[in-house]
């Protein structure tokens, strides 16, 4: 069952509060936003917005993909 487009990322499967907050900062706060931007696009936005942070690619992408399920 896919999550509805208006559902917030925070609280979804594989989506912890820290990573959800980072996506919210770059305008990706709902499942619909994530579908529109895409998993890779959302990750790229977070990386660009946090150049000094170490954001593990596989953890981030798995979290995003899990949120879409």
């Amino acid at each position: 069952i896919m999550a509805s487009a208006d559902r917030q990322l925070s609280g979804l499967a594989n989506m912890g509060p820290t990573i959800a907050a980072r996506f919210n900062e770059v305008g990706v706060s709902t499942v619909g936003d994530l579908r529109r931007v895409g998993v890779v696009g959302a990750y790229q936005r977070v990386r660009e917005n946090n150049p000094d942070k170490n954001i593990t690619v596989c953890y981030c992408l798995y979290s995003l993909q899990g949120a879409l399920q």
Side-chain angles (χ1 to χ4, degrees):
I1 299 172
M2 293 181 71
S4 64
D6 60 342
R7 186 149 181 215
Q8 296 293 309
L9 292 181
S10 58
L12 290 176
N14 300 330
M15 189 63 63
T18 301
I19 197 71
R22 287 190 177 145
F23 288 114
N24 192 45
E25 291 170 1
V26 296
V28 181
S29 58
T30 66
V31 171
D33 295 336
L34 182 54
R35 287 184 183 138
R36 186 181 69 254
V37 173
V39 170
V40 173
Y43 173 76
Q44 288 172 332
R45 286 183 181 196
V46 169
R47 286 292 304 144
E48 290 170 4
N49 197 52
N50 296 277
D52 58 330
K53 302 266 192 251
N54 181 15
I55 301 171
T56 307
V57 174
C58 64
Y59 170 75
C60 186
L61 294 178
Y62 285 138
S63 295
L64 290 171
Q65 192 59 41
L68 289 177
Q69 300 302 313

